[in-house]
Amino acid sequence: MGSETQPRFGDVAHLGHVELLTPTPNESLAFFTSVVGLHETARAGESVYLRAWGDYERHTLKLTAHRTSGLGHMGLRVRDDDTLHRLVAGLEAHGSRGNWIDDPAHGRAYSFQTPDGHAVELYWETQRFIATPDLATAFKNLPQRYVPRGIAPRRLDHLNILAREVPPTRQFFQARLGLRLTEQIVYDDGTETGAWLSATNKSYDVAITKDRSDARGRLHHFTYAMDSREDVLRAADVLRDAGIPIETGPHKHTIGQTFFLYCFEPGGNRFEIGSGGYLILDPDWKPVVWTEAERAKGQAWGLQTVSTFHTHGTPPIEST
Amino acid sequence: MGSETQPRFGDVAHLGHVELLTPTPNESLAFFTSVVGLHETARAGESVYLRAWGDYERHTLKLTAHRTSGLGHMGLRVRDDDTLHRLVAGLEAHGSRGNWIDDPAHGRAYSFQTPDGHAVELYWETQRFIATPDLATAFKNLPQRYVPRGIAPRRLDHLNILAREVPPTRQFFQARLGLRLTEQIVYDDGTETGAWLSATNKSYDVAITKDRSDARGRLHHFTYAMDSREDVLRAADVLRDAGIPIETGPHKHTIGQTFFLYCFEPGGNRFEIGSGGYLILDPDWKPVVWTEAERAKGQAWGLQTVSTFHTHGTPPIEST
Amino acid sequence: MGSETQPRFGDVAHLGHVELLTPTPNESLAFFTSVVGLHETARAGESVYLRAWGDYERHTLKLTAHRTSGLGHMGLRVRDDDTLHRLVAGLEAHGSRGNWIDDPAHGRAYSFQTPDGHAVELYWETQRFIATPDLATAFKNLPQRYVPRGIAPRRLDHLNILAREVPPTRQFFQARLGLRLTEQIVYDDGTETGAWLSATNKSYDVAITKDRSDARGRLHHFTYAMDSREDVLRAADVLRDAGIPIETGPHKHTIGQTFFLYCFEPGGNRFEIGSGGYLILDPDWKPVVWTEAERAKGQAWGLQTVSTFHTHGTPPIEST
Amino acid sequence: MGSETQPRFGDVAHLGHVELLTPTPNESLAFFTSVVGLHETARAGESVYLRAWGDYERHTLKLTAHRTSGLGHMGLRVRDDDTLHRLVAGLEAHGSRGNWIDDPAHGRAYSFQTPDGHAVELYWETQRFIATPDLATAFKNLPQRYVPRGIAPRRLDHLNILAREVPPTRQFFQARLGLRLTEQIVYDDGTETGAWLSATNKSYDVAITKDRSDARGRLHHFTYAMDSREDVLRAADVLRDAGIPIETGPHKHTIGQTFFLYCFEPGGNRFEIGSGGYLILDPDWKPVVWTEAERAKGQAWGLQTVSTFHTHGTPPIEST
């Protein structure tokens, strides 16, 4: 296997979609449409496909009825078709036992697992959202007009998975998929408890944090992005009046500089509304390493990380 | 020459710096430090080096005393050293007559010209800004703390050059440097009057608009970015009270979706404070083409483009 | 007549509502509900009653089908019932020929005219909005929850009337109603072309600008307020995609410091979305007088006032 | 004593200034000028006089060196000179034993105490800030230009005092000074633990919360206001990098709807940076009463009130 199979930064273009499992599909759907304000674009089998007003693909959230909560799979769109085959060749050369599938929602894809057991689909073919006349916009560089319903985030932003051991899964995203490590938490005893990786100029697209349970393949949270921090504050009002408890925030993460709030969708999965962060332009970015002492200082302005943040993942441990 | 020399998107990592020529160096320096709030990091010869609080390199603006206003050169930082040599091989294979220089401000660089005559430096070696204790920050993922002086933009954002003919210069950035064409203006008679190109996920990093004069190698404007649109509005107050006339804005560009204001620095060069824009995640982005009729509608919310925007470039025509 | 009848600042508590005449009632209603996002609370005769989510009364906009556009009347709520009778005694002692009416929408009121012929209702009794369960909010200090529909302003803010001569109408609001003059435009020849008056700590609640036509009793515009300037920018996007042309703005008024945008509702009346301004805490505020030369500099950041701003009032001249 | 001596809402125009005692005057002064960004306007005796860029009087903060921290006095400016004498007559008729003083910083004033022992000065004569040319502004309706130094709040906003029993002090502000009760906390056993009162259309200007210690006349905090919530978030960054711990926030108060953050100035007094709140236009506003159960839900978005908020006042108990 030649050097051509070595993934480079940019081979994975972006996080395309998240398939979320929910044991309460009706309630979850009502939450994501009425409260969050996502748009339904299709239904098939046990799944409903949703997207935010600024998402260019036909779906960024696939909501699937299931016995448990958790992550169905994450979809990562690649740079082009050649890159897809090159990445798959590398994955297989390094022992990945995935398989090609034809996902009716976006096309041909290669399905495999992270070392911790999260399902991933790599894909190039996709289906773009074409606005119907009532959603068309004078701003031709946007896929549709802004529709102020509920929180109305602009786009899917990132995904945070849990892993029993962070390093192997983190190295997998770096070595096999070309993502860039941007920030890390390394405790005094050398344990890596968190890693943030990016496929773009954003400060992160995929985060991996340590699962303190014995479970595998769990989800910590996924995130849709607002245009401004003021929008996140407004979202907090919407959640409050919708009777959705906010787990923590709004506040600013020290890591990634993103302004955040977390809540739980009715199916039990943690959901984040975020904004901001910083752009990484430096092609030679040195990962920022945070110590145990620094983490003990809490978030950016001193808010202590809530204990549920260290324990709650989906599916819950008892159902794994 | 094999396919290895074909530039790809991502080979140029980002716009690194702008060298600005000014016939009034003291006044320009006072403007960029006291009013804009940039930080001086070095002086050498006829030049003063400046950066914004969020810029990771030691300088993003090189202010050089000169007989005229205008662009000294633009610096484009590349992905890595191999990429630098690969791009240079491609440039030379296609007739560029550049030369290697040792720029003391950042290191070895390849200096050449765009088809319209703008000087460009491609470089990989650089010098990072290391904060002195008074500027150090608890936010380790930032190069220094935020310092609220004057407008206090976060970072250099983009550059807009003028070209007698847009297509050759636009194609040069695409074919020789791997930038992505994101938006274009094409008039009814087929004349391309503007092109926006990106090296990153930002909606543009370099813009090329048509010079309606016979001059070559001119500058339309360059831009530093604020974190929010509210910050741009505040910047307008700062400019007003500093006695700096605002040419146009604050308003939103239809193209690129950026929120903008334009003014002239004392040396006569147009300077923009901006915020926003959209991220391009789609690796297969189709350039958005704007027609003459669409442009006639003005900016995003109807503001007509001011006439000086179509005529004023630097250096002024009489001095070229 | 004793000193008890001298109005004081605070006797008029606030602008309560605006009755707007429209020759296109269906289109106007669709605009104010779907695009602006006001809530309908009642219908009676030729009128529909509307309010914003933060308005405490059952209506702040009474939309009335009529042969022409223009102002039906403005409602001014007073401090208490005694104050109402005291103000009426003063009005009548100075020649006002008004009459008591029983407005079913809010209760007993005294109806009269300004010197330029605008109908005014002074009232104390009112009807408060009581939220239905679907609109109830955990924020008990608000009349209902925030509902993100269309622009979704928080509350009615102010009214700008036209007057053939500004001084008599301005003095009437000061001497007969106790409003405070906060800012003025006085041209070089001594003509007062604009006056801003306040009943509250806001920089203005009623503005009077010179009608350059021979018409009387005309409306220049009325305004609903957003919580932030960012919200006004978002409103501009909503108007653009709804196909409603923006007359001018978003920009900041030098006078009153409010951030504004103007458009025309389908009936032809000018409508403003605004935010900001400054609070006047000084009980001995000296009116700020702007000269002709200062006005020639345009709005806060240099935007020239559009010519229609000096000519368009409702009803249009040909229909008066 | 006739009805003329009954105070009315509006008789007290606004909170004019706060005299703050500090045992570390140099450090406190450095904090309020360099970090907060207030402007020094005078010095006399043990005091330094400061104001924010938007304050119209020559000082809104009098910083006085003292053995302890705490409140020196609060200054309340009244509607006019007649009102001053009328309020004093009422105070004396109800047993206040104050005295007239000539405060060189603003003029003649009546000095007295609240039932809990906080010193108050009522005054009409004042000294306005006149901007020197370097601080003059094109925005003639502002006292000076905006100067972006440190946090740079616009103006003094409110004061929160502690009282062993809330009701008598709250009733004093209502009955003797005409302030309006806007919100209250009443526990299940009937104990009133907090009261918010307003002299203006703001949701509060003076707050009184229960001192759980036996001390008297203590200060809970005082507050300067920013123009936007985004500005409060930026202030949090400035405090973090200045090494000033944030006690709690940024977050939104359920009561008053203000967006807040709290820290301690070097002398030990609690200091708030805030923004927002709602305007009260209703002249017949019914106080909002919050129950013990409602308070247990924490602040607006669920943040629990920190325990120090219930215990820390100045001066500390051991020094009283």
Side-chain angles (χ1 to χ4, degrees), chain C:
Chain C
M1 184 182 53
S3 67
E4 291 79 3
T5 60
Q6 293 301 321
R8 317 181 73 188
F9 178 68
D11 281 350
V12 168
H14 67 95
L15 173 66
H17 53 267
V18 169
E19 182 185 18
L20 193 72
L21 307 180
T22 171
T24 60
N26 293 337
E27 292 79 1
S28 293
L29 180 60
F31 171 78
F32 284 110
T33 53
S34 299
V35 180
V36 180
L38 299 186
H39 298 253
E40 179 181 332
T41 49
R43 294 195 180 206
E46 298 298 307
S47 300
V48 179
Y49 294 87
L50 302 162
R51 56 180 282 288
W53 65 271
D55 286 323
Y56 78 91
E57 290 175 287
R58 236 179 38 181
H59 83 283
T60 51
L61 178 62
K62 178 183 181 181
L63 196 59
T64 299
H66 191 73
R67 184 178 54 83
T68 67
S69 55
L71 177 70
H73 77 276
M74 70 182 86
L76 301 176
R77 192 159 183 236
V78 301
R79 178 194 278 261
D80 54 27
D81 201 47
D82 283 351
T83 300
L84 176 58
H85 288 279
R86 189 162 43 82
L87 290 176
V88 170
L91 283 162
E92 297 196 332
H94 287 82
S96 275
R97 286 174 297 183
N99 57 293
W100 289 96
I101 62 169
D102 188 9
D103 188 320
H106 50 84
R108 188 166 164 76
Y110 183 76
S111 171
F112 62 99
Q113 291 200 340
T114 69
D116 199 74
H118 307 86
V120 184
E121 287 184 18
L122 273 188
Y123 68 104
W124 159 247
E125 286 178 20
T126 193
Q127 304 211 27
R128 284 186 171 68
F129 173 75
I130 307 298
T132 48
D134 60 309
L135 293 179
T137 176
F139 298 114
K140 289 166 47 179
N141 38 23
L142 299 180
Q144 69 159 80
R145 69 176 59 180
Y146 163 70
V147 174
R149 182 177 69 199
I151 291 171
R154 177 184 281 256
R155 59 173 173 75
L156 176 63
D157 189 81
H158 70 268
L159 176 76
N160 186 329
I161 55 176
L162 290 166
R164 280 194 298 184
E165 300 298 331
V166 170
T169 295
R170 186 255 295 160
Q171 287 155 4
F172 181 86
F173 276 95
Q174 291 177 274
R176 298 280 66 77
L177 298 169
L179 269 68
R180 174 159 62 191
L181 176 64
T182 60
E183 306 202 27
Q184 266 177 307
I185 303 173
V186 179
Y187 272 21
D188 296 349
D189 66 1
T191 307
E192 182 174 345
T193 61
W196 284 258
L197 299 111
S198 181
T200 66
N201 295 111
K202 297 195 298 116
S203 47
Y204 52 98
D205 296 298
V206 174
I208 307 163
T209 46
K210 187 168 176 58
D211 199 327
R212 288 165 165 83
S213 79
D214 288 332
R216 291 190 51 181
R218 297 209 300 164
L219 173 70
H220 191 269
H221 71 266
F222 70 109
T223 306
Y224 276 75
M226 311 298 296
D227 279 351
S228 72
R229 305 199 286 193
E230 179 66 24
D231 288 342
V232 176
L233 300 179
R234 183 53 66 88
D237 284 350
V238 171
L239 288 171
R240 172 73 185 268
D241 272 334
I244 307 287
I246 293 171
E247 184 189 22
T248 185
H251 201 89
K252 185 167 88 164
H253 282 301
T254 300
I255 295 174
Q257 300 272 333
T258 37
F259 195 68
F260 67 85
L261 73 77
Y262 293 93
C263 63
F264 297 102
E265 59 88 30
N269 297 291
R270 185 184 283 107
F271 176 65
E272 183 188 24
I273 290 292
S275 186
Y278 57 92
L279 289 181
I280 295 180
L281 300 178
D282 185 356
D284 193 28
W285 175 262
K286 301 294 183 291
V288 176
V289 183
W290 300 92
T291 66
E292 198 165 348
E294 287 168 336
R295 294 310 298 157
K297 293 177 186 171
Q299 298 299 328
W301 302 313
L303 183 71
Q304 285 301 310
T305 304
V306 288
S307 62
T308 48
F309 216 69
H310 295 305
T311 55
H312 182 100
T314 48
I317 299 161
E318 58 276 16
S319 64
T320 58

Side-chain angles (χ1 to χ4, degrees), chain D residues 120-135:
Chain D
V120 184
E121 288 184 18
L122 274 188
Y123 69 103
W124 160 247
E125 288 178 19
T126 192
Q127 304 212 26
R128 284 185 171 70
F129 173 75
I130 307 297
T132 48
D134 60 310
L135 293 179

Side-chain angles (χ1 to χ4, degrees), chain D residues 280-291:
Chain D
I280 295 180
L281 299 178
D282 184 356
D284 194 27
W285 175 262
K286 301 293 182 292
V288 176
V289 182
W290 301 91
T291 66

Side-chain angles (χ1 to χ4, degrees), chain B residues 199-252:
Chain B
T200 65
N201 295 110
K202 297 195 298 117
S203 47
Y204 51 98
D205 295 299
V206 174
I208 308 163
T209 46
K210 187 170 175 57
D211 199 326
R212 288 165 166 81
S213 79
D214 288 333
R216 291 190 53 181
R218 296 208 301 163
L219 173 69
H220 191 269
H221 71 265
F222 70 108
T223 305
Y224 276 75
M226 310 298 297
D227 279 350
S228 72
R229 304 199 288 192
E230 179 67 23
D231 287 343
V232 177
L233 300 180
R234 183 54 64 86
D237 283 349
V238 171
L239 289 171
R240 172 75 186 266
D241 273 334
I244 307 289
I246 293 171
E247 184 189 22
T248 185
H251 202 88
K252 185 167 87 164

